Coordinates of all heavy atoms in Angstrom, one line a residue:
M705 N -107.2 27.0 4.0 CA -106.1 27.6 3.1 C -105.0 26.6 2.7 O -104.7 25.8 3.4 CB -105.4 28.9 3.8 CG -105.0 29.8 2.8 SD -104.2 31.3 3.7 CE -102.6 31.1 3.2
S706 N -104.6 26.8 1.5 CA -103.6 25.9 0.9 C -102.4 26.6 0.3 O -102.7 27.7 -0.2 CB -104.2 24.8 0.1 OG -104.7 25.4 -1.0
E707 N -101.3 25.9 0.3 CA -100.1 26.5 -0.4 C -99.8 25.5 -1.6 O -100.0 24.4 -1.5 CB -98.9 26.6 0.6 CG -99.1 27.5 1.6 CD -99.1 29.0 1.3 OE1 -98.6 29.4 0.2 OE2 -99.8 29.7 2.0
K708 N -99.4 26.2 -2.7 CA -99.0 25.4 -3.9 C -97.5 25.6 -4.1 O -97.0 26.7 -4.2 CB -99.8 25.8 -5.1 CG -101.3 25.6 -4.8 CD -102.0 25.7 -6.2 CE -103.5 25.1 -6.1 NZ -104.3 25.8 -5.1
I709 N -96.8 24.4 -4.2 CA -95.4 24.5 -4.5 C -95.1 23.8 -5.8 O -95.4 22.6 -6.1 CB -94.7 23.7 -3.3 CG1 -94.9 24.5 -2.0 CG2 -93.2 23.7 -3.5 CD1 -95.0 23.7 -0.8
A710 N -94.4 24.6 -6.6 CA -94.1 24.0 -8.0 C -93.0 23.0 -7.8 O -92.0 23.1 -7.2 CB -93.8 25.1 -8.9
L711 N -93.2 21.7 -8.4 CA -92.3 20.7 -8.4 C -91.5 20.7 -9.7 O -90.6 19.9 -9.8 CB -92.9 19.4 -8.1 CG -93.7 19.2 -6.8 CD1 -94.4 17.9 -6.6 CD2 -92.6 19.3 -5.6
G712 N -91.9 21.4 -10.7 CA -91.3 21.3 -12.0 C -91.9 20.3 -12.9 O -93.0 19.8 -12.7
S713 N -91.2 20.0 -13.9 CA -91.5 19.1 -15.0 C -91.6 17.7 -14.4 O -90.8 17.2 -13.9 CB -90.6 19.1 -16.2 OG -90.9 18.0 -17.1
V714 N -92.7 16.9 -14.7 CA -92.9 15.6 -14.4 C -91.7 14.7 -14.9 O -91.1 14.0 -14.1 CB -94.2 15.0 -14.9 CG1 -94.2 13.4 -14.8 CG2 -95.4 15.7 -14.3
A715 N -91.3 14.9 -16.1 CA -90.1 14.1 -16.6 C -88.8 14.4 -16.0 O -88.0 13.5 -15.9 CB -90.1 14.5 -18.2
D716 N -88.8 15.5 -15.3 CA -87.5 15.8 -14.6 C -87.5 15.3 -13.2 O -86.4 15.2 -12.6 CB -87.2 17.3 -14.6 CG -86.9 17.9 -15.9 OD1 -86.5 17.1 -16.8 OD2 -87.1 19.2 -16.0
L717 N -88.6 14.8 -12.7 CA -88.6 14.2 -11.5 C -88.1 12.8 -11.5 O -88.3 12.1 -12.5 CB -90.0 14.1 -10.8 CG -90.6 15.5 -10.4 CD1 -92.1 15.3 -10.1 CD2 -89.9 16.0 -9.3
P718 N -87.2 12.3 -10.5 CA -86.5 11.1 -10.7 C -87.6 9.9 -10.6 O -88.6 10.0 -9.8 CB -85.5 11.0 -9.5 CG -86.1 12.0 -8.6 CD -86.8 13.0 -9.4
A719 N -87.5 8.9 -11.3 CA -88.4 7.8 -11.2 C -87.7 6.7 -10.3 O -86.6 6.5 -10.4 CB -88.6 7.0 -12.6
G720 N -88.4 6.1 -9.6 CA -87.9 4.9 -8.7 C -87.3 5.3 -7.4 O -86.9 4.6 -6.7
R721 N -87.3 6.7 -7.2 CA -86.7 7.1 -5.9 C -87.4 8.3 -5.4 O -88.0 9.0 -6.4 CB -85.2 7.2 -5.9 CG -84.7 8.2 -6.8 CD -83.1 8.3 -6.6 NE -82.6 9.4 -7.6 CZ -82.5 10.7 -7.3 NH1 -82.9 11.0 -6.1 NH2 -82.0 11.5 -8.2
G722 N -87.3 8.8 -4.3 CA -88.0 10.0 -3.8 C -87.1 11.2 -3.8 O -85.8 11.1 -3.9
I723 N -87.8 12.3 -3.7 CA -87.1 13.5 -3.4 C -87.8 14.1 -2.2 O -89.1 14.0 -1.9 CB -87.1 14.6 -4.5 CG1 -88.5 15.0 -4.9 CG2 -86.3 14.0 -5.6 CD1 -88.6 16.2 -5.8
R724 N -87.1 14.9 -1.3 CA -87.7 15.6 -0.1 C -87.9 17.0 -0.4 O -87.1 17.7 -1.0 CB -86.7 15.4 1.0 CG -87.2 15.9 2.3 CD -86.3 15.6 3.5 NE -86.3 16.7 4.4 CZ -85.6 16.6 5.5 NH1 -84.7 15.6 5.9 NH2 -85.6 17.7 6.3
V725 N -89.2 17.4 0.0 CA -89.5 18.9 -0.2 C -89.8 19.4 1.2 O -90.7 18.8 1.9 CB -90.7 19.0 -1.1 CG1 -91.1 20.4 -1.2 CG2 -90.4 18.5 -2.6
D726 N -89.2 20.4 1.6 CA -89.4 21.0 3.0 C -90.3 22.2 2.7 O -89.9 23.1 1.8 CB -88.1 21.3 3.7 CG -87.5 20.1 4.1 OD1 -88.2 19.1 4.7 OD2 -86.2 20.0 4.0
Y727 N -91.3 22.4 3.5 CA -92.1 23.7 3.4 C -92.5 24.0 4.8 O -93.4 23.3 5.3 CB -93.2 23.6 2.4 CG -94.0 24.9 2.3 CD1 -93.5 25.9 1.6 CD2 -95.1 25.1 3.0 CE1 -94.1 27.0 1.4 CE2 -95.8 26.3 2.9 CZ -95.4 27.4 2.1 OH -96.0 28.5 2.0
G728 N -91.9 24.9 5.4 CA -92.3 25.3 6.9 C -92.1 24.1 7.7 O -91.2 23.5 7.7
E729 N -93.2 23.7 8.4 CA -93.1 22.4 9.3 C -93.2 21.2 8.5 O -93.0 20.1 9.1 CB -94.3 22.7 10.3 CG -94.3 23.8 11.3 CD -93.1 23.7 12.2 OE1 -93.1 22.7 12.9 OE2 -92.3 24.6 12.3
H730 N -93.6 21.3 7.2 CA -93.8 20.1 6.5 C -92.7 19.6 5.9 O -91.8 20.3 5.3 CB -94.9 20.5 5.3 CG -96.2 21.0 5.8 ND1 -97.3 20.1 6.0 CD2 -96.7 22.2 6.2 CE1 -98.3 20.8 6.5 NE2 -98.0 22.1 6.6
R731 N -92.6 18.2 6.0 CA -91.5 17.5 5.3 C -92.1 16.5 4.5 O -92.8 15.6 5.0 CB -90.5 16.9 6.4 CG -89.1 16.9 6.1 CD -88.3 16.4 7.3 NE -88.3 14.9 7.3 CZ -87.8 14.3 8.3 NH1 -87.3 14.8 9.4 NH2 -87.8 12.9 8.2
V732 N -91.9 16.6 3.1 CA -92.8 15.8 2.2 C -91.9 15.0 1.3 O -90.8 15.4 0.8 CB -93.7 16.7 1.3 CG1 -94.5 15.9 0.4 CG2 -94.5 17.6 2.2
A733 N -92.2 13.7 1.1 CA -91.4 12.8 0.4 C -92.5 12.7 -1.1 O -93.5 12.3 -0.9 CB -91.2 11.5 0.8
V734 N -91.7 13.1 -2.1 CA -92.3 13.0 -3.5 C -91.8 11.9 -4.2 O -90.5 11.8 -4.5 CB -92.2 14.4 -4.1 CG1 -92.8 14.4 -5.6 CG2 -92.8 15.6 -3.3
F735 N -92.7 11.2 -5.0 CA -92.2 10.1 -5.9 C -92.9 10.1 -7.2 O -94.1 10.5 -7.3 CB -92.7 8.7 -5.1 CG -92.0 8.5 -3.8 CD1 -92.7 8.9 -2.7 CD2 -90.8 7.8 -3.7 CE1 -92.1 8.8 -1.4 CE2 -90.2 7.6 -2.6 CZ -90.8 8.1 -1.2
R736 N -92.2 9.7 -8.2 CA -92.7 9.6 -9.6 C -92.9 8.1 -9.8 O -91.9 7.3 -9.8 CB -92.0 10.3 -10.6 CG -92.5 10.0 -11.9 CD -92.1 11.0 -13.0 NE -90.6 10.8 -13.5 CZ -90.2 10.0 -14.5 NH1 -91.2 9.4 -15.2 NH2 -89.0 9.9 -14.8
V737 N -94.1 7.6 -10.2 CA -94.4 6.2 -10.6 C -95.0 6.4 -12.0 O -96.2 6.8 -12.2 CB -95.3 5.5 -9.6 CG1 -95.6 4.1 -10.3 CG2 -94.8 5.4 -8.3
G738 N -94.2 6.0 -13.0 CA -94.6 6.3 -14.4 C -94.8 7.9 -14.5 O -93.9 8.6 -14.3
D739 N -96.0 8.2 -15.0 CA -96.3 9.6 -15.2 C -97.0 10.2 -14.0 O -97.5 11.3 -14.0 CB -97.1 9.9 -16.5 CG -96.3 9.5 -17.7 OD1 -95.1 9.8 -17.6 OD2 -96.8 9.3 -18.7
A740 N -97.2 9.4 -13.0 CA -98.0 9.8 -11.8 C -97.1 10.3 -10.7 O -96.0 9.7 -10.5 CB -98.9 8.7 -11.3
I741 N -97.6 11.3 -10.0 CA -96.7 11.9 -8.9 C -97.4 11.6 -7.6 O -98.6 12.0 -7.5 CB -96.4 13.3 -9.1 CG1 -95.8 13.6 -10.5 CG2 -95.4 13.8 -8.1 CD1 -94.5 12.9 -10.9
Y742 N -96.8 11.2 -6.6 CA -97.4 11.0 -5.2 C -96.5 11.7 -4.3 O -95.3 11.9 -4.4 CB -97.4 9.5 -5.0 CG -98.2 8.7 -5.9 CD1 -97.6 8.1 -7.0 CD2 -99.5 8.6 -5.8 CE1 -98.4 7.4 -8.0 CE2 -100.4 7.9 -6.7 CZ -99.7 7.2 -7.8 OH -100.4 6.5 -8.8
A743 N -97.2 12.1 -3.2 CA -96.6 12.8 -2.2 C -97.1 12.4 -0.8 O -98.3 12.4 -0.5 CB -96.7 14.3 -2.2
I744 N -96.2 11.9 0.0 CA -96.6 11.5 1.5 C -95.7 12.2 2.4 O -94.6 12.7 2.1 CB -96.6 10.0 1.6 CG1 -95.2 9.5 1.4 CG2 -97.6 9.3 0.7 CD1 -95.0 8.0 1.8
G745 N -96.0 12.2 3.7 CA -95.2 12.8 4.8 C -93.8 12.0 4.7 O -93.8 10.8 4.6
D746 N -92.8 12.7 4.8 CA -91.4 12.1 4.8 C -91.0 11.5 6.0 O -90.1 10.6 6.0 CB -90.5 13.3 4.4 CG -89.0 12.7 4.3 OD1 -88.8 11.9 3.5 OD2 -88.2 13.2 5.0
R747 N -91.6 11.9 7.1 CA -91.2 11.4 8.5 C -91.9 10.0 8.7 O -93.2 10.0 8.9 CB -91.6 12.4 9.6 CG -90.9 13.6 9.7 CD -91.2 14.3 11.0 NE -90.6 15.6 10.9 CZ -91.1 16.8 10.4 NH1 -92.2 16.7 9.8 NH2 -90.4 17.9 10.5
C748 N -91.2 8.9 8.8 CA -91.7 7.7 9.1 C -92.5 7.8 10.4 O -92.0 8.3 11.4 CB -90.7 6.6 9.1 SG -91.4 5.0 9.6
S749 N -93.6 7.3 10.5 CA -94.6 7.3 11.6 C -93.9 6.4 12.7 O -94.4 6.5 13.9 CB -96.0 6.9 11.4 OG -96.0 5.5 10.8
H750 N -92.9 5.6 12.5 CA -92.4 4.8 13.6 C -91.2 5.5 14.3 O -91.3 5.8 15.6 CB -91.7 3.5 13.1 CG -91.1 2.6 14.0 ND1 -89.8 2.3 13.9 CD2 -91.5 2.1 15.2 CE1 -89.4 1.5 15.0 NE2 -90.4 1.5 15.8
A751 N -90.1 6.1 13.7 CA -89.1 6.7 14.4 C -88.5 7.8 13.4 O -87.3 8.2 13.5 CB -88.0 5.7 14.8
E752 N -89.3 8.4 12.5 CA -89.0 9.6 11.8 C -87.9 9.5 10.8 O -87.4 10.5 10.4 CB -88.8 10.7 12.7 CG -90.0 11.0 13.6 CD -90.0 12.5 14.1 OE1 -89.1 13.3 13.9 OE2 -90.9 12.8 14.8
A753 N -87.6 8.2 10.4 CA -86.6 8.1 9.2 C -87.2 8.9 8.0 O -88.4 9.0 7.8 CB -86.3 6.7 8.9
S754 N -86.3 9.2 7.1 CA -86.8 9.9 5.8 C -87.4 8.9 4.8 O -86.5 8.1 4.3 CB -85.7 10.7 5.2 OG -86.1 11.3 4.0
L755 N -88.6 9.0 4.5 CA -89.1 8.0 3.5 C -88.6 8.3 2.1 O -88.6 7.4 1.3 CB -90.6 7.9 3.7 CG -91.2 7.4 5.0 CD1 -92.7 7.5 4.9 CD2 -90.7 6.0 5.2
A756 N -88.3 9.6 1.9 CA -87.7 10.0 0.5 C -86.5 9.2 0.3 O -86.2 9.1 -0.9 CB -87.5 11.5 0.5
E757 N -85.8 8.7 1.3 CA -84.6 7.9 1.1 C -84.9 6.4 1.0 O -83.9 5.6 0.9 CB -83.6 8.2 2.3 CG -83.1 9.6 2.3 CD -82.3 10.0 3.5 OE1 -81.9 9.0 4.2 OE2 -82.0 11.1 3.7
G758 N -86.1 6.1 1.1 CA -86.5 4.7 1.1 C -86.5 4.1 -0.4 O -86.5 4.8 -1.3
E759 N -86.7 2.7 -0.4 CA -86.6 2.2 -1.8 C -88.1 2.0 -2.1 O -89.0 1.7 -1.3 CB -85.9 0.8 -1.7 CG -85.5 0.3 -3.0 CD -84.7 -1.0 -3.0 OE1 -84.0 -1.2 -1.8 OE2 -84.5 -1.6 -3.9
L760 N -88.3 2.1 -3.5 CA -89.7 2.0 -4.0 C -90.0 0.7 -4.5 O -89.1 0.2 -5.3 CB -89.9 3.2 -5.0 CG -91.3 3.7 -5.4 CD1 -92.0 4.1 -4.1 CD2 -91.2 4.8 -6.3
F761 N -91.1 0.1 -4.1 CA -91.6 -1.2 -4.7 C -93.0 -1.1 -5.3 O -94.0 -1.1 -4.4 CB -91.5 -2.3 -3.7 CG -90.1 -2.6 -3.2 CD1 -89.7 -1.9 -2.1 CD2 -89.2 -3.4 -3.9 CE1 -88.3 -2.2 -1.6 CE2 -88.0 -3.6 -3.4 CZ -87.5 -3.1 -2.2
G762 N -93.1 -0.7 -6.5 CA -94.4 -0.5 -7.0 C -95.0 0.8 -6.4 O -94.5 1.9 -6.5
M763 N -96.1 0.6 -5.6 CA -96.8 1.8 -4.9 C -96.4 1.9 -3.5 O -97.0 2.5 -2.7 CB -98.3 1.6 -5.0 CG -98.8 1.9 -6.5 SD -98.5 3.6 -7.0 CE -99.5 4.4 -5.9
E764 N -95.4 1.0 -3.1 CA -95.0 1.0 -1.6 C -93.5 1.6 -1.5 O -92.7 1.2 -2.3 CB -95.0 -0.4 -1.2 CG -96.3 -1.1 -1.4 CD -97.4 -0.8 -0.4 OE1 -97.1 -0.6 0.7 OE2 -98.5 -0.8 -1.0
V765 N -93.4 2.4 -0.5 CA -91.9 2.9 -0.2 C -91.5 2.2 1.1 O -92.3 2.2 2.1 CB -91.8 4.4 -0.3 CG1 -92.7 5.0 0.8 CG2 -90.3 4.8 0.0
E766 N -90.3 1.6 1.1 CA -89.8 0.9 2.3 C -89.0 1.9 3.2 O -88.1 2.5 2.6 CB -89.0 -0.2 1.8 CG -88.5 -1.1 2.9 CD -87.6 -2.3 2.5 OE1 -86.4 -2.0 2.1 OE2 -88.0 -3.4 2.4
C767 N -89.4 2.0 4.4 CA -88.5 2.9 5.3 C -87.2 2.3 5.3 O -87.0 1.1 5.5 CB -89.2 2.9 6.6 SG -88.2 3.8 7.8
P768 N -86.2 3.3 5.2 CA -84.8 2.9 5.1 C -84.3 2.4 6.5 O -83.2 1.7 6.5 CB -84.1 4.0 4.6 CG -85.0 5.2 5.0 CD -86.3 4.8 4.9
R769 N -85.0 2.7 7.6 CA -84.5 2.4 8.8 C -84.9 1.0 9.4 O -84.1 0.1 9.7 CB -84.8 3.4 10.0 CG -84.0 3.2 11.2 CD -84.2 4.5 12.2 NE -83.7 5.7 11.6 CZ -83.9 6.8 12.0 NH1 -84.5 7.0 13.3 NH2 -83.4 7.8 11.5
H770 N -86.2 0.7 9.5 CA -86.6 -0.6 10.0 C -87.5 -1.4 8.9 O -88.0 -2.4 9.3 CB -87.3 -0.4 11.3 CG -86.7 0.3 12.4 ND1 -87.0 1.6 12.8 CD2 -85.5 0.1 12.9 CE1 -86.2 2.0 13.6 NE2 -85.1 1.1 13.7
G771 N -87.8 -0.8 7.8 CA -88.3 -1.7 6.7 C -89.9 -1.6 6.7 O -90.5 -2.3 5.8
S772 N -90.6 -0.8 7.4 CA -92.0 -0.8 7.2 C -92.3 -0.2 5.8 O -91.5 0.7 5.4 CB -92.8 0.3 8.2 OG -92.8 -0.4 9.4
E773 N -93.4 -0.7 5.2 CA -93.7 -0.2 3.8 C -94.9 0.6 3.9 O -95.9 0.2 4.4 CB -93.9 -1.4 2.8 CG -92.7 -2.2 2.7 CD -92.7 -3.3 1.8 OE1 -93.9 -3.7 1.3 OE2 -91.6 -3.8 1.2
F774 N -94.8 1.8 3.2 CA -96.0 2.7 3.3 C -96.6 2.8 1.8 O -95.8 3.0 0.9 CB -95.5 4.1 3.7 CG -95.2 4.2 5.2 CD1 -93.9 3.8 5.6 CD2 -96.1 4.5 6.1 CE1 -93.5 3.8 6.9 CE2 -95.8 4.5 7.4 CZ -94.5 4.1 7.9
N775 N -97.9 2.8 1.7 CA -98.6 3.0 0.5 C -98.6 4.4 0.0 O -99.0 5.3 0.8 CB -100.0 2.4 0.5 CG -100.7 2.4 -0.8 OD1 -101.2 3.5 -1.2 ND2 -100.7 1.3 -1.4
L776 N -98.2 4.8 -1.3 CA -98.1 6.1 -1.8 C -99.5 6.7 -1.8 O -99.7 8.0 -1.9 CB -97.4 6.3 -3.0 CG -96.0 5.6 -3.1 CD1 -95.4 5.8 -4.5 CD2 -95.1 6.4 -2.1
E777 N -100.6 6.0 -2.0 CA -101.9 6.5 -2.2 C -102.6 6.8 -0.8 O -103.4 7.6 -0.7 CB -102.8 5.6 -3.1 CG -102.4 5.7 -4.5 CD -103.3 4.8 -5.4 OE1 -103.5 3.7 -5.0 OE2 -103.9 5.3 -6.4
T778 N -102.3 5.9 0.1 CA -103.1 6.0 1.3 C -102.3 6.4 2.5 O -102.7 6.9 3.6 CB -103.8 4.6 1.7 OG1 -102.7 3.7 2.0 CG2 -104.6 4.0 0.6
G779 N -100.9 6.4 2.5 CA -100.1 6.6 3.6 C -100.0 5.6 4.6 O -99.3 5.7 5.6
L780 N -100.8 4.5 4.4 CA -100.9 3.4 5.5 C -99.6 2.6 5.4 O -99.2 2.1 4.4 CB -102.2 2.6 5.2 CG -103.5 3.3 5.6 CD1 -104.7 2.6 4.9 CD2 -103.6 3.6 7.0
P781 N -99.2 2.0 6.7 CA -98.1 1.1 6.7 C -98.7 -0.4 6.4 O -99.8 -0.6 6.9 CB -97.5 1.3 8.0 CG -98.7 1.7 8.9 CD -99.6 2.5 8.0
G782 N -98.0 -1.0 5.7 CA -98.4 -2.6 5.4 C -97.7 -3.5 6.1 O -98.0 -4.6 6.0
S783 N -96.7 -3.0 7.0 CA -95.9 -4.0 7.6 C -95.4 -3.3 8.9 O -95.1 -2.1 8.9 CB -94.7 -4.6 6.8 OG -94.0 -3.5 6.3
F784 N -95.0 -4.1 10.0 CA -94.4 -3.5 11.2 C -93.1 -3.1 10.9 O -92.4 -3.6 10.0 CB -94.5 -4.5 12.4 CG -96.0 -4.9 12.7 CD1 -96.5 -6.1 12.6 CD2 -96.7 -3.9 13.3 CE1 -97.7 -6.4 13.0 CE2 -98.0 -4.1 13.6 CZ -98.6 -5.4 13.4
P785 N -92.4 -2.3 11.9 CA -92.9 -1.8 13.1 C -93.9 -0.7 13.1 O -94.5 -0.4 14.1 CB -91.6 -1.5 14.0 CG -90.7 -1.1 12.9 CD -91.0 -2.0 11.6
A786 N -93.9 0.1 12.0 CA -94.9 1.2 12.0 C -96.3 0.8 12.0 O -96.7 -0.2 11.3 CB -94.6 2.1 10.6
T787 N -97.1 1.5 12.7 CA -98.6 1.1 12.8 C -99.5 2.2 12.4 O -100.7 2.2 12.3 CB -98.9 0.7 14.2 OG1 -98.6 1.7 15.2 CG2 -98.1 -0.6 14.6
K788 N -98.9 3.5 12.4 CA -99.8 4.7 12.1 C -99.4 5.2 10.7 O -98.3 5.0 10.2 CB -99.4 5.8 13.0 CG -99.9 5.4 14.4 CD -99.6 6.5 15.4 CE -99.9 6.2 16.7 NZ -99.3 7.0 17.8
P789 N -100.4 5.7 10.0 CA -100.2 6.2 8.7 C -99.4 7.4 8.6 O -99.2 8.2 9.7 CB -101.6 6.5 8.1 CG -102.4 6.7 9.4 CD -101.8 5.9 10.4
V790 N -98.9 7.9 7.5 CA -98.1 9.1 7.3 C -99.2 9.9 6.5 O -100.1 9.5 5.9 CB -96.8 9.1 6.6 CG1 -95.9 8.3 7.5 CG2 -96.9 8.4 5.3
P791 N -99.2 11.3 6.6 CA -100.0 12.2 5.7 C -99.8 11.9 4.3 O -98.8 11.5 3.7 CB -99.7 13.6 6.2 CG -98.6 13.5 7.1 CD -98.1 12.1 7.3
V792 N -100.9 12.2 3.6 CA -101.0 12.1 2.1 C -101.2 13.5 1.5 O -102.1 14.2 2.0 CB -101.9 11.1 1.6 CG1 -102.0 11.1 -0.1 CG2 -101.8 9.7 2.1
Y793 N -100.4 13.9 0.6 CA -100.5 15.2 0.0 C -101.0 15.2 -1.4 O -100.7 14.3 -2.1 CB -99.2 16.0 0.1 CG -98.6 16.3 1.4 CD1 -97.9 15.3 2.0 CD2 -98.9 17.6 2.1 CE1 -97.4 15.6 3.4 CE2 -98.5 17.8 3.4 CZ -97.7 16.8 4.0 OH -97.2 17.0 5.2
E794 N -101.9 16.2 -1.8 CA -102.4 16.2 -3.1 C -101.2 16.8 -4.1 O -100.5 17.7 -3.8 CB -103.5 17.1 -3.2 CG -104.2 17.2 -4.6 CD -105.4 18.2 -4.7 OE1 -105.6 18.9 -3.7 OE2 -105.9 18.3 -5.7
V795 N -101.2 16.1 -5.3 CA -100.3 16.7 -6.3 C -101.2 16.9 -7.5 O -101.9 16.0 -8.0 CB -99.2 15.6 -6.7 CG1 -98.3 16.2 -7.8 CG2 -98.3 15.4 -5.4
I796 N -101.0 18.1 -8.1 CA -101.7 18.4 -9.4 C -100.8 18.4 -10.4 O -99.8 19.0 -10.4 CB -102.4 19.8 -9.2 CG1 -103.4 19.9 -8.0 CG2 -103.1 20.3 -10.4 CD1 -103.9 21.3 -7.7
V797 N -101.2 17.8 -11.5 CA -100.4 17.7 -12.7 C -101.1 18.3 -13.9 O -102.2 18.0 -14.1 CB -100.1 16.2 -13.2 CG1 -99.1 16.3 -14.5 CG2 -99.1 15.6 -12.1
Q798 N -100.6 19.4 -14.4 CA -101.2 20.2 -15.5 C -100.2 20.3 -16.5 O -99.0 20.8 -16.4 CB -101.6 21.6 -15.1 CG -102.8 21.6 -14.1 CD -103.2 23.0 -13.7 OE1 -102.3 23.8 -13.4 NE2 -104.5 23.3 -13.7
G799 N -100.6 19.7 -17.8 CA -99.5 19.6 -18.8 C -98.4 18.7 -18.2 O -98.7 17.5 -17.8
D800 N -97.2 19.3 -18.3 CA -96.1 18.3 -17.7 C -95.7 18.9 -16.4 O -94.6 18.5 -16.0 CB -95.0 18.3 -18.8 CG -94.1 19.5 -18.9 OD1 -94.8 20.5 -18.6 OD2 -93.0 19.6 -19.2
Q801 N -96.4 20.0 -15.8 CA -95.9 20.6 -14.7 C -96.7 20.0 -13.3 O -97.8 19.9 -13.4 CB -96.2 22.0 -14.7 CG -95.3 22.8 -15.8 CD -93.8 22.7 -15.5 OE1 -93.3 23.0 -14.4 NE2 -93.2 22.1 -16.5
A802 N -95.8 19.7 -12.4 CA -96.5 19.1 -11.2 C -96.5 20.1 -10.1 O -95.4 20.8 -10.0 CB -95.7 17.9 -10.7
T803 N -97.6 20.2 -9.3 CA -97.6 21.2 -8.1 C -98.0 20.3 -6.9 O -99.0 19.6 -6.9 CB -98.6 22.1 -8.5 OG1 -98.2 22.9 -9.6 CG2 -98.7 23.3 -7.4
L804 N -97.2 20.6 -5.8 CA -97.7 20.1 -4.5 C -98.6 20.9 -3.9 O -98.2 22.2 -3.7 CB -96.4 19.7 -3.8 CG -96.4 19.3 -2.3 CD1 -97.0 18.0 -2.2 CD2 -95.0 19.4 -1.6
V805 N -99.6 20.4 -3.2 CA -100.6 21.2 -2.5 C -100.4 20.9 -1.0 O -100.5 19.6 -0.5 CB -102.0 20.9 -2.9 CG1 -103.0 21.8 -2.1 CG2 -102.2 21.2 -4.4
I806 N -100.2 21.8 -0.1 CA -100.1 21.7 1.2 C -101.2 22.4 1.9 O -101.4 23.6 1.7 CB -98.7 22.1 1.8 CG1 -97.7 21.2 1.2 CG2 -98.7 22.1 3.3 CD1 -96.2 21.5 1.7
E807 N -102.1 21.7 2.5 CA -103.3 22.2 3.3 C -102.7 22.6 4.7 O -101.9 21.7 5.3 CB -104.3 21.3 3.4 CG -104.8 20.7 2.1 CD -105.8 21.7 1.4 OE1 -106.1 22.7 1.9 OE2 -105.9 21.4 0.2
D808 N -103.2 23.7 5.2 CA -102.9 24.0 6.6 C -103.5 22.9 7.6 O -104.5 22.4 7.3 CB -103.7 25.3 7.0 CG -102.9 26.5 6.6 OD1 -101.7 26.4 6.2 OD2 -103.3 27.6 6.7
G809 N -102.6 22.5 8.5 CA -103.0 21.5 9.4 C -102.5 20.2 8.9 O -102.5 19.3 9.8
A810 N -102.2 19.9 7.6 CA -101.7 18.6 7.2 C -100.3 18.4 7.6 O -99.6 19.4 7.9 CB -101.9 18.5 5.8
G811 N -99.8 17.3 7.9 CA -98.5 16.9 7.9 C -98.0 17.0 9.5 O -96.9 16.9 9.7
Ligands
FES470 S1 -88.2 4.5 11.3 FE1 -89.4 3.7 9.7 S2 -89.8 1.7 10.3 FE2 -88.6 2.4 12.0

């Protein structure tokens, strides 16, 4: 089973920085890169800093606490100290509306 959460218009999502979306146990960091929307787990896999507050470099977000960089498509860290991936969430874009999909068990 999955839940769909409306994120609103793509154009209204900030470019170059994240927003945090909380849904139940899920804490999700959402990013807009051009017209594409990406969503990964907001809790850094190293020490749970908020990745939505990190700086975006292309397709990588830098953890604001210790600097590990996470890929927005894979959730994989590209640098230490984090060694484990964060979850990746599906985002559906229809027209100009973006929807976050949360699967049970993810996150
Ligand atoms: S909390 Fe993110 S790298 Fe340490």
Side-chain angles (χ1 to χ4, degrees):
M705 205 179 117
S706 63
E707 296 291 335
K708 294 187 169 63
I709 296 147
L711 297 173
S713 165
V714 170
D716 288 344
L717 291 169
R721 67 181 176 85
I723 60 166
R724 180 172 149 182
V725 176
D726 289 316
Y727 183 81
E729 299 287 305
H730 298 268
R731 219 173 84 186
V732 184
V734 176
F735 299 89
R736 175 161 76 90
V737 180
D739 290 334
I741 310 297
Y742 300 92
I744 60 174
D746 181 60
R747 290 183 184 90
C748 177
S749 61
H750 177 238
E752 301 205 358
S754 172
L755 295 179
E757 295 173 11
E759 200 171 340
L760 201 55
F761 297 96
M763 289 295 291
E764 312 280 323
V765 59
E766 183 183 77
C767 175
R769 192 169 299 168
H770 306 115
S772 283
E773 294 185 343
F774 291 86
N775 185 278
L776 298 182
E777 286 182 312
T778 65
L780 290 165
S783 55
F784 292 119
T787 57
K788 295 181 182 155
V790 295
V792 176
Y793 295 86
E794 182 183 4
V795 178
I796 299 168
V797 176
Q798 286 178 318
D800 73 335
Q801 295 296 307
T803 303
L804 172 65
V805 180
I806 294 185
E807 303 285 345
D808 275 352

